[in-house]
Amino acid sequence: MLSSNAKSILEPQLDALLDVIFAQACAPADYAKPFAVKSHNEVLRCFAILYLNFPDRIINFLLAKLSPNVVKSTVIKDASDRSVVGALTIVNKLVNQPDVSFSFYLNALLKSLEPIIAPTPPVTLSNNVKQILAQLVLTLADRLYLTVDNSAPLIEFIVRQCSIPATTIPRSPSGLEVVTDEALRAACENVLHLLTTTVHGMETILLPGLFDYLVMWQYTESARTVAKCLVHLNTQRDVFATLAPSGAVKRSPAVVELFTRLFVLSGSAIDQSDGDSLLRLLQLVVGRMAEALKELWEGTITELENFFTMRASNEGGETAWDGQAWEESLLKLLQTSLHDLKNVEPELIHRIAECFTIQIPLYIDFPEDKAFLYRALGTTLEISTDSLVVNKGLDGIFNSVNHSKIVERQACAVAVGKASSAHFDLILSKLDGFTVPDKQGKRSSIFNLFGSAKESKQESVDSERSKSTIVTCYGYAVSGAPRALLLTRIDDIMRSIMPFFVGVKEFAIKHSLCRFTEMLAKALRETNSTLDKRQALMFHMKDFVKSEPPELRSSVRALAVTACAELAQLPPKITMEEVEDALLLFCNSVFPLLPPRHDSSEGADAANAAYLNYEVLWDATIKALSEFMVTVVKVYRNAEATVVLLRNLKPWLESDSDHERYHSLTMLHNVLTSDAVTENVIAPILGMAMGLLAMRSMDPDARCRETALACGKRLASILSNGKSSDQEWIEAGRQSWMKESLSSHAAATSIAGLFYGILEGDQLVKFVRQLYYQGLLERRAVTAAGVAAILQATLKNKWQPLKEQGPDILGGLLFALKTVRDPATKVGIEGCIKAIAEHDTEMVARVLLNQPVPLLPSTAALWRSLGSVASFAPILLQHCLDTLRTTPCYSEVHIHARCASLPILQSLAVLVELFQSSNNTDLLQANFADLAPVLIVITAAMVGAQSSKPPQFAVSSEQTGADSEWKSVYKVVPSRFAVDALKQLLKNANSVVPISFEMIEDPVMYAEGLHVTCKCIFQSAELDAKKVIAGLVPYLNSEIDAQRAAAVAMYSAMLESKKPTDAGQVQEVVNHLATKNSDQALIVRVFCIRGMGSLAQFGPKIVNANADSILRVILAGLEDSADGNMNSAPIEAMKALNKLLPVIDRARIQEDLISISVRLRPSFESESPMIRSMAFSLFGQAATVAENESVRAAFTQEVHDVLVILLLHLNDDNHEVSTATKSVFKLLLPLLKSEALVTALSYPDGIAYSRLLKLISSALGTDFADKIPAYLNHIIGYFRSESPTMRANAVLLAGNLLAQVAAAGQPDTTTSHMAPAVIHLLSDKEPLVRQRAAEALGLIYQKSSHHV
């Protein structure tokens, strides 16, 4: 207290002082700075001191700051609330002063607080003001200033703040620290709790008012706090004794009302902190309401409290708390309680139902609580027997449900379903009334939602939602109805419900219709009754699935599938066609849906919330389809059902999407784990299923691998009746999560053993077929490579039962080999083929040979790979040789064309690849004697041949590819195939590769090219002559000229190369050649002659031993003119004679010299200079070997017969012919024995032809004058020669000889007919001929004149 003097001094300055320190008191304290907090407290202490000295002025000053006008202006203008907060803070400080009474100013304070506590009209105050006001209330109560009369507004203010929803508010304009709604609510809850537990005498103030707050809708959020306070107060006194009776002026809520209110609020208590207080208060209410229930609730309440313990232990966990079990436990407790009351206090049940109905409006803003009330009311109505109460309860539900809230619609239907067990007809009558069209043709609203003031669009939406509620109610009604009664009402129900299916588009109605269908089917299944409308319902369910968008947006798809699963279980069974149609539709609708993806990025809370909702839909949809498949198996329990299931799952098991493969595998596993799946049921699909599972066991997705192995394990268990060992499957499943298992050949082999180990016979064939038909063609390379490893192990270890299917398997492998691009998979496929070849190399060779030519790159690489294996190469090589030897070369022979045989072309193409295989040099050299002759013969036959036609059969796409691959045969050049094979043989056998291959393919140079190639073969390799000779024998009598020619050419080249060192082998070759002397093919005869000529290098012994054969062949060749002007046979014969004459025994040839000379004459006149030259030279050689007198005489006459020809060709156009002729004359001189001719021919080279003729003619006139007429007769024939040189030579020779005749004075008979011919040549068109004719006439005249 200040002294009187101090007061008098301070009082004039008081107003100014208050304004200053009040401003400081309103400034918020920074609690992070202790000095600032201390300063703020000192300011407040200043007010406390001033209050002790000037109480009236201080109170008036503060209350002025709390006047209604100031508060309203602060709110309206959004101005600073610091003054209000500051004033309340100071008041709170003043009230809380010890030893200072505030009673005198209490009424004034409370009156000033009325605009803040309960402003009229309501004003929105800041949370800062409300919080400090709550603190003031607590201070007033603590200082015992509150009484029953003045406390009600303040307590209600605190309860009101406890009902604030837990949300945050923006920062206030004052800049004070923001108090959020949640903080304010927590503060007021603490205040109410402190008032209850710490302030003495508050029970008389709080009771029974707290009970009133429990049943007021606006204070619903504060119920748990109020309940907590009541539970505590009950420990001090009987709180229920304070309740005012029903007849009192101010009535308190009845115990039954409290029970229904607390029971509904307890439904959501599990989700709130201190929610157990509601449960404990409810227990107290039940004990007061009905003594008969006290024991039941005491025994059950402990179990319910365990929910709170479990929830507390789950807080912060990854799994969300599911309150469904909590609600079901409460409802079960309610049901049990009502059953106990039914025989004790049945009227109490009706009162409970009425209270539930009356309290429905309390939950308009709380749909979850309202939904729980519906369920509780439905449980109560189920037990109630009072039809009036039931009718009111149903009306209360129907008239209050908010159709825009799914939870309310669902709860409404659940309530109807519970009540239908006892009041089914009453419920149907109400529902039927809602579905009957009114007079205007519209359906009546069940809840009076459609007022005339609403817009048509909103009316339409509400109407659709109300229809959804009706349908859902029907569904729960039939689900809860007595089954016997349901069967009698089913037709009426369907008649009412079917119109809802017409033109339905709204999701809510579809959802309800699906649920109705499901529940109806379940109810009828329990009675084993049929449903006439089943087909129609199935149609509508499938139509719902069809109409769903590609994206997963609702649960309609899942519900429709589930409904179909239930309908399928009704008798009689639906047809398998309908099942397959439904499966196809459902799979195509469900599997493409994208799986949920969790977003782990920052700021993804909204996305993750959506993810959780989507995940629920996704899981439900997948589960629905899985259950439908299991249902199909359970209903049919036969093999046909499993076949249909697997057929529809198969495309998704092979899908490109990981999630599609995984979920299809999961569904397959669910089906296999069904009790309905037995060995007989899975028998038809076992092989294919195991094949698909083996493919997926190599899937890049670890989930797929693990699930596939789990399916395989289940199948193995079924086949062994649960006796199979699971350890290997478990170990394989463990390894399936390791990435290394995909690339490990050992792991694949181990998995293969698990699959094929339980398969036999046809199922093993189907298993393998699945692997090579589709597994190898997987678009995922890692899977295809793994499948190849599994298939290789299977073929290696289980070939015997697969042997009959060998060609088909091999064809499938070849198709896969040409299709896949992954190198690892190609290697694996080649390994599979090698595994087959280990068991049956012949079959592999046979199938591989029957492939399109030219070979595909994949097939060619395969042949090279097989050829590099030492155990396969000889067999494959021999198979190709056998084909070449036994197959006709031509498939068709026409006048103008020869079509090469397809097997021949295929074998040649294969040999090219085998020859190129690595490490085959030794093999080729060892078999060179077998290969070379055959390839030469085939090559000769292929020259000029056309390509073959493709085979006339339907090509299977899984074996050898499309027809287009065979069409490439038309483009094949057979000779090129053969030449390539021969070239590769020589190259890879380390032999000399000739350059004559192009000559072979040239029709003009064919014979020479064939000869050079054959000769090169024998010269570059050490051949087994005996084997070659024997190998060629079959071709000597071939119908194909080229084959005979090639065989004879080989023999000829063999002799020319002196390869047969054994005389017997030479003799054998000669004998073979001799047999072909008269062959119809000229080329054969030519090679035969050439071969005979090659005997000269073997020496006189061999030649003379075979002289008869040799001469016979050569003499035939000399007169062989089958080739017209080419004279190839005579040329070869002459070449051969040139080689043989020096070697052959002269005595043996004497008899044939004349024949030789006679046969040479036509060659003297040949157009070919080479032939003329060779013929003249050979004639001269023959003259040198004529030793027998008679032969010499005869040969001399032959010389005279051809003398004119020789003389004429002394001046041949070809210099070589002229030279050869002069040389022949020198060889003939010993036979003619004419010194004059010797002298004439002794002149050196370069003498003029006219001079030489004159000398020779003079010598002939001297020694052979008698033969000149014959010479002239021979000459006259050349006057008509086409060669100008020959005509000129002839007329000049004739002139010289005529001159000799004239000089000898012989009769001119010859001259008389020669002269005109000579004179005729004077008019020849060639100047040289005319000149020579003139010279001839001059010689004749000169000699004639000289003689005269």
Side-chain angles (χ1 to χ4, degrees), residues 1032-1054:
L1032 292 171
V1033 169
Y1035 298 106
L1036 290 174
N1037 297 317
S1038 172
E1039 295 180 356
I1040 301 173
D1041 295 348
Q1043 288 189 326
R1044 298 196 307 275
V1048 175
M1050 283 290 287
Y1051 283 141
S1052 174
M1054 182 184 293

Side-chain angles (χ1 to χ4, degrees), residues 43 51 164 225 237 269 276 443 460 473 602 727 743 873 966 968 1040 1156 1180 1182 1242:
V43 172
Y51 173 74
I164 297 175
T225 304
R237 61 181 295 182
D276 55 339
R443 297 190 180 277
S460 175
C473 290
E602 296 183 0
Q727 189 58 39
S743 57
W966 283 100
S968 61
I1040 301 173
I1156 291 172
S1242 61

Side-chain angles (χ1 to χ4, degrees), residues 48 62 83 110 120 314 349 518 536 824 900 953 999 1027 1060 1099 1195 1297:
L62 293 175
S83 61
L110 293 178
T120 304
N314 189 59
I349 298 176
E518 176 189 355
F953 57 83
M999 298 169 61
K1027 188 179 289 187
F1195 201 88
L1297 291 178

Side-chain angles (χ1 to χ4, degrees), residues 720-746:
S720 62
N721 294 321
K723 299 178 181 179
S724 65
S725 174
D726 295 341
Q727 189 58 39
E728 293 181 350
W729 289 97
I730 294 173
E731 178 62 21
R734 184 186 66 79
Q735 293 181 357
S736 68
W737 283 92
M738 303 179 184
K739 292 183 178 180
E740 294 78 6
S741 64
L742 290 176
S743 57
S744 171
H745 190 276

Side-chain angles (χ1 to χ4, degrees), residues 384-395:
S384 176
T385 57
D386 190 331
S387 58
L388 182 60
V389 170
V390 173
N391 195 42
K392 288 182 178 179
L394 292 174
D395 288 341

Side-chain angles (χ1 to χ4, degrees), residues 113-151:
L113 291 178
E114 286 180 3
I116 303 175
I117 295 174
T120 304
V123 176
T124 303
L125 298 175
S126 70
N127 285 358
N128 296 320
V129 174
K130 293 179 181 178
Q131 186 182 44
I132 194 62
L133 184 58
Q135 295 175 4
L136 178 59
V137 172
L138 179 60
T139 301
L140 290 172
D142 184 56
R143 300 292 292 170
L144 302 179
Y145 291 128
L146 296 185
T147 64
V148 174
D149 297 330
N150 64 14
S151 62

